[in-house]
Amino acid sequence: KPAAPRPTRTTSGLVAPFGRQKGEPLEALTAENLRWLCGVLRESIDDPERARWRAQNATLLDALEREVVLRG
């Protein structure tokens, strides 16, 4: 099975840190995985036990939300 082509448009340089498409550029995520990852990150940001990763998760969430807007 040939590998799927990488997207040529890159807005963030970030990749999915976990999930079904772990390691894929944000631009390559399916709409379903994009929504899922946004939800997981929102929960993580609000979780006091995960405060250690709050800034990193907020940066990733911002990039994901920009991708949602770019897709329309």
Side-chain angles (χ1 to χ4, degrees), residues 4-69:
R6 295 277 186 196
T8 56
R9 179 178 56 87
T10 302
T11 58
S12 66
L14 299 173
V15 299
F18 54 85
R20 289 184 182 162
Q21 290 184 279
K22 178 180 179 178
E24 291 292 323
L26 301 187
E27 298 78 19
L29 298 180
T30 64
E32 178 184 0
N33 281 325
L34 198 62
R35 286 189 302 272
W36 174 81
L37 193 52
C38 282
V40 169
L41 289 171
R42 283 187 193 104
E43 288 177 15
S44 181
I45 289 167
D46 293 337
D47 186 344
E49 292 183 15
R50 296 184 178 156
R52 175 180 174 187
W53 298 283
R54 186 171 289 133
Q56 178 182 350
N57 288 339
T59 298
L60 183 56
L61 180 59
D62 287 345
L64 287 166
E65 289 174 340
R66 279 193 302 275
E67 181 62 23
V68 169
V69 169

